Amino acid sequence: MIKQACTKSDIAGVSFSIYPMSDNFVDIIKDSLEEVDTSKVHLKTDDVTTTVRGKLVHIFDVTKAIFMYAANTGEHVAFQATYSLGCPGDSTGDAYMAEDENPQNMEKIKDIKQFAGSKFSLYPLGGGDYMDVIYEQIDAMKKHVTVSPSHYSTRLDGEAVAIFNGLEQVFKATVEGGSSHTVMTVSISANSPSHKGVN
Amino acid sequence: MIKQACTKSDIAGVSFSIYPMSDNFVDIIKDSLEEVDTSKVHLKTDDVTTTVRGKLVHIFDVTKAIFMYAANTGEHVAFQATYSLGCPGDSTGDAYMAEDENPQNMEKIKDIKQFAGSKFSLYPLGGGDYMDVIYEQIDAMKKHVTVSPSHYSTRLDGEAVAIFNGLEQVFKATVEGGSSHTVMTVSISANSPSHKGVN
């Protein structure tokens, strides 16, 4: 039986993968995961994705740091994530909701310079004026990075840290705006030989 | 102005990336794209994703074939895609809606044996009993491959061709069931050193 009961928990989560386009991909992934302080989240890796659950602030802190460390190797690294908050859910990781709001990894990565190209999509599920919510949040993104339209997503270009900060703000605003089940998908690419206009 | 008008078109589309975890990633991507007959779709690649638009049957035919060719190199290859049909949209690729329903690449790849692990999520946007639609389609997947629950997604294990066929059926059934804006995200992994119970 796959059906899961809804919970009233505010637990956020993400299912993500990091893809180093390198023969050395295993070490890059393992080293990045080891560099990051994951003490405030529930983290589980399998052969397809890694799942992180806990408070929203830590979900973004941990994924941002993992991407920054992997990209900092200089290899072409891609990151793909689905962030989610709301029904359906289960109780895995609920214990981590007692952690404080202080992001553990921010200090170590906030000054790393890393250009990235990105596409994100926001899906406020459960009905209502979901397209209005999406357009409002695309507009809010412009405070953080360069924003342009793309098919099935919105394109973001700029510093990787600013992209993650923008994504966190937009996700948080959608949740706080009353969306009962919010999903956001993101693809981020660093050090691609196809990036234009960057060294 | 990013806001796009809704269209009444039945055009389907996908924004996807293929990630070969190999120093040879550029050639693997280029060779796979070249092997595939893309004459019945609109296709555009940039530095983050590739967008394909056209009839639903061809969208799945083309993405399945690209993945099969890339995985057939034996390298660890991951595939990430967002399939979409419905508002919002624009007119790029509308000309391809006049193509017939005959998938161009099916014959060449249908017998390739390739185990894959996968996670997919279905998002029928625009409200209604969207969770019921999701659970119904997860159940329908069991005709194609091994299905198990996962956080923020449903896990599929089996032959890659069967996974893609299942995804196509589930997406099609959701659209035909009346969802006005259907989104499906998929992560597929082949030849991972972390796959269990293979070989």
Side-chain angles (χ1 to χ4, degrees), chain A residues 173-186:
Chain A
T174 306
V175 171
E176 287 172 353
S179 169
S180 61
H181 183 180
T182 305
V183 170
M184 182 173 73
T185 62
V186 189

Side-chain angles (χ1 to χ4, degrees), chain A residues 1-6 11-15 17-26 29 42 45-53 75-76 78-80 82-92 115 117-119 121-128 130-132 134-135 138 142 147-155 157 180-181 183 185-189 191-196, chain B residues 1-6 11-15 17-26 29 42 45-53 75-76 78-80 82-92 115 117-119 121-128 130-132 134-135 138 142 147-155 157 180-181 183 185-189 191-196:
Chain A
M1 186 61 184
I2 283 171
K3 197 156 183 166
Q4 295 172 313
C6 285
I11 193 165
V14 60
S15 176
S17 302
I18 192 117
Y19 305 113
M21 259 63 84
S22 159
D23 289 352
N24 203 23
F25 69 93
V26 174
I29 295 172
H42 173 82
T45 296
D46 66 27
D47 58 324
V48 181
T49 68
T50 296
T51 305
V52 176
R53 283 164 65 85
E75 297 283 353
H76 176 24
F79 168 88
Q80 200 285 322
T82 299
Y83 294 89
S84 182
L85 196 156
C87 173
D90 67 19
S91 59
T92 315
F115 174 83
S118 166
K119 292 184 183 178
S121 303
L122 187 65
Y123 304 118
L125 294 160
Y130 71 102
M131 291 306 299
D132 292 343
I134 294 171
Y135 290 128
I138 290 172
K142 294 175 185 167
V147 176
S148 54
S150 183
H151 274 298
Y152 312 118
S153 63
T154 297
R155 179 158 185 136
D157 289 279
S180 61
H181 183 180
V183 170
T185 62
V186 189
S187 294
I188 308 181
S189 172
N191 309 320
S192 166
S194 313
H195 287 324
K196 286 173 197 134
Chain B
M1 185 61 183
I2 283 171
K3 196 156 184 168
Q4 294 170 313
C6 285
I11 193 164
V14 58
S15 175
S17 302
I18 192 116
Y19 305 113
M21 259 63 82
S22 159
D23 289 352
N24 202 23
F25 70 94
V26 173
I29 295 171
H42 172 82
T45 296
D46 66 28
D47 57 325
V48 182
T49 69
T50 295
T51 305
V52 176
R53 282 163 66 86
E75 297 283 354
H76 176 23
F79 168 88
Q80 200 285 322
T82 299
Y83 294 89
S84 181
L85 196 154
C87 172
D90 66 20
S91 59
T92 314
F115 173 84
S118 166
K119 292 185 184 177
S121 302
L122 187 65
Y123 305 117
L125 294 161
Y130 72 101
M131 290 308 299
D132 292 344
I134 293 171
Y135 289 127
I138 289 172
K142 294 174 184 165
V147 176
S148 55
S150 184
H151 274 298
Y152 311 117
S153 62
T154 296
R155 180 160 183 135
D157 289 280
S180 62
H181 183 181
V183 170
T185 62
V186 190
S187 294
I188 309 181
S189 172
N191 310 319
S192 166
S194 313
H195 286 324
K196 285 173 198 131

